[in-house]
Amino acid sequence: MRRVAQYTVFHVNEPAELMTFLMQKMAGISRTRVKALLTNRVVLVDNNIQTQYNYPLLPGMEVHISKEKNNHEFRNPMLKILYEDAYIIVVEKKEGLLSVATEKQKERTAQHILNEYVKRQHRSNRIFVVHRLDRETSGIMMYAKDEQTQHTLRDNWHDIVYDRRYVAVVAGSMEKDEDTVSSWLTDRKLYVSSSDVDDGGKFSVTHYRTIKRANGYSLVELQLETGRKNQIRAHMQTLGHPVIGDIRYGCEANSLGRLALHAFKLCFYHPITHEKMVFETPYPSVFKSLFMKR
């Protein structure tokens, strides 16, 4: 026998914010309790989990409150959901996981894992790719939950995303405390080549700041002005300080058993509500371990 989830359903008849709407419909409920429902991911707007308390509701929408605690709980050792609403989903992925499906790998990807998750909410739901992180890179990334939002994000990426930062451990002691690297990058399939002159590649700009130097390593924070394939990895190689663990770009050291590159910050204007969204994770503790006194 198929098990059917139980919901309390509310119909939206006039514009309102989600918090106000729920407090009106669920007489006597406190703001703290509403926030707990949102945090526990049991509130759905038009079949999509909603965690944003000030999400704008419009006439014709339906709000479902699941009666089953953690009915839509998400657990995966390679992926953590940081934020989700009806339009976007922001996650933190671990190194070793592909962002999107390829011909050779379709199932062990963040895209597939999230597709399976949203289909549990409604079988017609799916995830749409907006940008990528290399398999070896960990950190924060965003997906769209409908095609229109995907197009909005892709077509207006540089206007919507106002800050993207990475942290890396690189080989050697960086000569400068901060600087900017710019070059033309060309995708050669197996690697990306960098040129100081326009050779037909894509012009790319990376700003960096050296946080710490010790034990033959440097901890560097990087801010992308452009978002090309392998941009940071190629630019660090051109400086003579490849990312630790990056054999492809000339680093022989692999002290951590992984690529020491993490996307720790993503800031953007919400593609629908235009609200400022800021997501940040701590620097990976394993990166810091390389700078401990020996």
Side-chain angles (χ1 to χ4, degrees), residues 74-88:
F74 178 87
R75 280 202 187 104
N76 190 284
M78 300 296 287
L79 207 59
K80 178 183 179 182
I81 295 177
L82 302 179
Y83 174 82
E84 179 182 5
D85 62 29
Y87 305 102
I88 60 173

Side-chain angles (χ1 to χ4, degrees), residues 11-75:
H11 299 278
V12 181
N13 296 317
E14 57 185 33
E17 288 190 353
L18 183 56
M19 171 72 78
T20 304
F21 178 84
L22 290 176
M23 291 185 72
Q24 289 174 346
K25 293 293 184 180
M26 304 171 76
I29 194 169
S30 67
R31 292 178 65 88
T32 301
R33 177 59 185 149
V34 172
K35 287 184 177 181
L37 291 174
L38 295 169
T39 300
N40 288 330
R41 311 172 67 77
V42 296
V43 179
L44 289 81
V45 178
D46 287 350
N47 293 315
N48 287 285
I49 287 177
Q50 180 55 254
T51 58
Q52 185 182 354
Y53 74 91
N54 60 348
Y55 181 80
L57 300 175
L58 298 173
M61 288 181 172
E62 285 188 349
V63 178
H64 292 65
I65 311 296
S66 174
K67 295 178 180 177
E68 300 176 7
K69 188 176 180 181
N70 296 327
N71 183 54
H72 299 287
E73 190 171 0
F74 178 87
R75 280 202 187 104

Side-chain angles (χ1 to χ4, degrees), residues 12 25 30 32 52 77 94 96 106 119 123 129-130 152 173 184 215 235 243 247 253 263 288:
V12 181
K25 293 293 184 180
S30 67
T32 301
Q52 185 182 354
K94 288 197 172 181
K106 296 187 182 297
K119 286 180 184 296
R123 64 179 179 272
V129 176
V130 177
T152 299
S173 181
W184 282 263
N215 302 328
H235 276 170
V243 178
I247 298 172
K288 298 175 185 177

Side-chain angles (χ1 to χ4, degrees), residues 210-225:
T210 305
I211 307 298
K212 193 170 186 177
R213 302 173 180 88
N215 302 328
Y217 304 108
S218 296
L219 185 67
V220 183
E221 184 179 299
L222 306 113
Q223 185 173 15
L224 296 183
E225 191 170 311

